[in-house]
Amino acid sequence: MKLFQGSSQVSLHKESRRPGFMPGTRLLCLCIAISLISIQLYAKESEETGLLHRLKAVATELNAPFVYVGNLVTSPIRGASKLGDMSSASPSRIKELEEQNTALRRAVEELEEYKQEALRLQSLLEIQSSYQLTSQAARVIGSSQDSWSRTIMINKGSAEGFALGMPVMNAYGLIGQIEKLATHSSTVRLISDENSGVSAMVQSSRAEGIVRGSADGSLRLDYIPVDAQVKKGDVIVTSGMGGVYPKGLPIGEVVSVQKSSAALHYNIRVKPPKAAMSYEEVLVITQLNEPGNQPLASVQQQGLDEQMATSSTQDAQEGEVVPSDKE
Amino acid sequence: MSAINQLSFSHTRFSLSSIPLSLWAFSLLMIVAHTTLGSQIVFGDARVNFMLILTLLWAFSYGSRAGVCVGFLAGLIYDLGSSTNFGVMMLCLSLLGFFAGMRQIMLFKEDIRLALIGGVLASAVLEALFGIVLIATGFKASLLSFVLYKFLPSTFLDLVFCVICFFAYTFFLGRQESSASYKGVRYRS
């Protein structure tokens, strides 16, 4: 087999090139044109019916088994690193955790009592609990393939009744929202993604704002006015405004509250529970059973909550889901 | 069929059958690595861009035209699996493939050091270009967070894998050539 044809042909071809043009210039122009058209088309088209979005959904579907295999292959390494973390816990830390566990057990028992009381009162008043959610469990099979987004891939999709925009939570609270949907897999954009935004409130003072992701993975709570009561350690929960996320799902707790001299709003950092950052199984909320709420599949038309990040300050303070240009 | 087989890339004409088996194997390996391990190898928040390495392998071996072609296709694969705007990586890798292939062909045979320097530069340029295009198309990120959390870790990870893959590719290319020479086939660059 002749593998390379020799330098004489190379030099001949060099001479026959048109002066002033690098080889491949036309091809490059064509590729740039196609790319720019794709970028424009992707931004303009509908998330459900758009050609490129559907193409991405098909690719996600085809990609899912490979991602699953990759996850499987690397799981022993991840398991070993977790084992390392566990074995490195000091005796004092273990004691501290045991004490915390006992305290939490007591709190759970106490809360169970309150729950029973609340249920009795609710049945008296004939109102439904706001925590009656219809959800489906799904397994996390991979995370984002690029450095610029924080997403995870789960092993269920439209065939299981999932729809775009459905909220996703784990045992510790809210983690994100379905962003891309395929037949048997979905991509969830995490709330820690820079382009995410969740309507939230401070549990103790009920002050409302928007929780947004940031590049370092932490969360920040925006639009909390300086006259509101917020302190370190306060729990942040979803406010339920807009009907996309159910009310009262924990998001994290306040780790710092800062206020600039002439600022109208606090600069608040929120930290999600550490255990919430390791995703293995998640719950996708398919329906909010609050009075007057419709199934989430129809709520999806209101668009992803991340688009709230583009909303104006005034709208954000009112806690509305602001429609974006994509809707 | 013969027309398809007789492609003209950059400074040289060659048939598809003349492309060494190791390049095809590495291309396939890069695509499989991207789809399976792409999301698993993490440094900070950064992921390895195997599609960049694939583009550079072709651009450094067969010049600008091959670089643009493979860059565009590699960008397409990346964009289909990513959550960022569709078309951005296609644009960036096409541009990078073009400029990476301008220097000279058969870089891995000529001078591996040049290929490594090219890989380092290309990693930095790609991450910067990708970030700029993303921000220009509406991605929200501050300059500081872009540099600290995206650009630096991504560039570092790309660079490390570029070096590993380039050395491995050169090693296998060398082995394949010595094996072919033994069978009586002569290579010239």
Side-chain angles (χ1 to χ4, degrees):
Chain A
M1 184 176 64
K2 202 174 179 184
L3 284 162
F4 203 73
Q5 297 198 354
S7 55
S8 60
Q9 194 171 348
V10 172
S11 60
L12 273 174
H13 187 62
K14 268 184 181 172
E15 281 164 14
S16 67
R17 276 197 286 133
R18 286 174 63 191
F21 279 101
M22 277 295 298
T25 310
R26 270 193 210 167
L27 193 63
L28 177 69
C29 292
L30 182 70
C31 290
I32 289 174
I34 295 171
S35 305
L36 290 175
I37 291 167
S38 301
I39 293 170
Q40 194 69 14
L41 198 65
Y42 187 77
K44 297 273 181 203
E45 71 178 15
S46 152
E47 284 182 16
E48 278 179 85
T49 54
L51 177 74
L52 294 177
H53 281 87
R54 278 162 63 188
L55 193 67
K56 261 195 166 190
V58 172
T60 307
E61 187 73 22
L62 295 174
N63 200 18
F66 292 99
V67 175
Y68 183 71
V69 168
N71 199 26
L72 215 65
V73 169
T74 53
S75 60
I77 302 165
R78 279 181 283 122
S81 67
K82 273 184 189 170
L83 203 68
D85 289 348
M86 282 159 72
S87 62
S88 62
S90 63
S92 61
R93 175 77 181 137
I94 292 169
K95 197 179 171 193
E96 186 191 328
L97 288 171
E98 278 173 353
E99 280 169 8
Q100 243 179 45
N101 191 23
T102 316
L104 286 170
R105 276 173 188 279
R106 271 202 298 272
V108 168
E109 284 160 13
E110 209 171 303
L111 285 171
E112 186 61 33
E113 281 302 308
Y114 283 122
K115 186 187 165 189
Q116 294 302 326
E117 189 185 333
L119 284 172
R120 285 196 300 275
L121 292 170
Q122 275 169 3
S123 61
L124 280 173
L125 293 168
E126 294 180 340
I127 56 170
Q128 276 187 297
S129 164
S130 59
Y131 291 99
Q132 280 179 4
L133 309 167
T134 309
S135 59
Q136 271 198 57
R139 189 176 290 276
V140 177
I141 55 170
S143 60
S144 63
Q145 290 182 336
D146 59 89
S147 312
W148 285 82
S149 55
R150 287 170 190 270
T151 57
I152 52 170
M153 192 188 271
I154 55 175
N155 69 342
K156 287 184 181 172
S158 56
E160 284 80 17
F162 290 3
L164 283 175
M166 280 182 173
V168 181
M169 57 184 288
N170 67 1
Y172 302 93
L174 185 73
I175 61 164
Q177 193 174 33
I178 292 183
E179 185 212 33
K180 234 172 18 179
L181 197 67
T183 317
H184 295 292
S185 61
S186 315
T187 305
V188 177
R189 186 177 287 277
L190 302 178
I191 53 171
S192 54
D193 185 280
E194 279 167 296
N195 288 302
S196 280
V198 182
S199 176
M201 63 182 176
V202 182
Q203 197 176 37
S204 55
S205 65
R206 319 308 279 177
E208 287 181 10
I210 287 188
V211 168
R212 285 176 172 173
S214 60
D216 61 356
S218 66
L219 304 169
R220 41 174 228 276
L221 179 60
D222 292 343
Y223 308 124
I224 296 288
V226 288
D227 56 350
Q229 294 285 317
V230 191
K231 60 182 187 301
K232 195 178 165 184
D234 276 350
V235 175
I236 305 300
V237 295
T238 51
S239 68
M241 293 290 178
V244 175
Y245 293 113
K247 191 177 180 181
L249 288 181
I251 295 174
E253 65 173 48
V254 174
V255 284
S256 74
V257 183
Q258 287 172 346
K259 186 193 148 196
S260 310
S261 55
L264 295 172
H265 303 110
Y266 281 120
N267 185 6
I268 301 170
R269 287 260 161 201
V270 178
K271 193 182 169 193
K274 196 181 174 187
M277 303 307 286
S278 57
Y279 312 109
E280 285 176 27
E281 287 89 23
V282 294
L283 278 178
V284 178
I285 299 166
T286 51
Q287 195 170 354
L288 311 178
N289 293 339
E290 286 176 87
N293 270 354
Q294 68 266 49
L296 278 170
S298 57
V299 176
Q300 63 172 293
Q301 295 298 330
Q302 295 169 21
L304 299 177
D305 223 20
E306 72 180 71
Q307 288 151 10
M308 289 194 312
T310 58
S311 63
S312 66
T313 311
Q314 191 184 351
D315 288 332
Q317 283 196 36
E318 288 166 3
E320 293 170 355
V321 175
V322 180
S324 77
D325 53 354
K326 278 190 178 180
E327 287 171 44
Chain B
M1 187 65 195
S2 62
I4 296 168
N5 203 32
Q6 292 291 323
L7 287 177
S8 163
F9 281 145
S10 186
H11 306 270
T12 184
R13 285 183 188 280
F14 63 98
S15 62
L16 283 178
S17 60
S18 74
I19 297 166
L21 187 67
S22 50
L23 188 54
W24 287 120
F26 258 79
S27 303
L28 188 66
L29 187 72
M30 289 299 119
I31 294 170
V32 172
H34 174 73
T35 49
T36 54
L37 301 174
S39 59
Q40 308 294 332
I41 303 168
V42 182
F43 174 68
D45 267 339
R47 266 87 175 165
V48 193
N49 191 344
F50 287 106
M51 294 297 102
L52 162 72
I53 303 169
L54 174 64
T55 307
L56 291 180
L57 282 176
W58 281 85
F60 287 162
S61 298
Y62 292 107
S64 296
R65 207 169 291 175
V68 174
C69 271
V70 176
F72 182 78
L73 293 174
L76 181 66
I77 294 171
Y78 186 98
D79 282 336
L80 284 173
S82 127
S83 297
T84 52
N85 289 0
F86 188 86
V88 178
M89 192 52 91
M90 267 153 64
L91 177 70
C92 295
L93 282 180
S94 302
L95 280 167
L96 197 83
F98 179 77
F99 289 108
M102 277 172 74
R103 177 65 184 82
Q104 70 180 86
I105 56 164
M106 294 296 162
L107 205 58
F108 294 103
K109 285 183 191 173
E110 302 287 336
D111 192 352
I112 180 70
R113 282 173 304 176
L114 260 183
L116 290 174
I117 294 167
V120 171
L121 284 174
S123 306
V125 168
L126 177 78
E127 293 303 339
L129 188 66
F130 188 62
I132 290 164
V133 176
L134 269 188
I135 291 168
T137 52
F139 193 92
K140 284 180 266 317
S142 68
L143 186 68
L144 188 69
S145 68
F146 161 60
V147 173
L148 277 182
Y149 300 108
K150 308 286 180 192
F151 175 72
L152 290 177
S154 304
T155 306
F156 174 74
L157 206 58
D158 288 349
L159 195 147
V160 168
F161 276 82
C162 261
V163 172
I164 295 169
C165 292
F166 283 3
F167 271 118
Y169 176 65
T170 312
F171 174 74
F172 282 108
L173 192 68
R175 274 180 73 99
Q176 194 191 340
E177 284 189 1
S178 59
S179 157
S181 300
Y182 178 73
K183 290 171 188 164
V185 181
R186 192 161 165 235
Y187 288 84
R188 288 166 68 188
S189 59

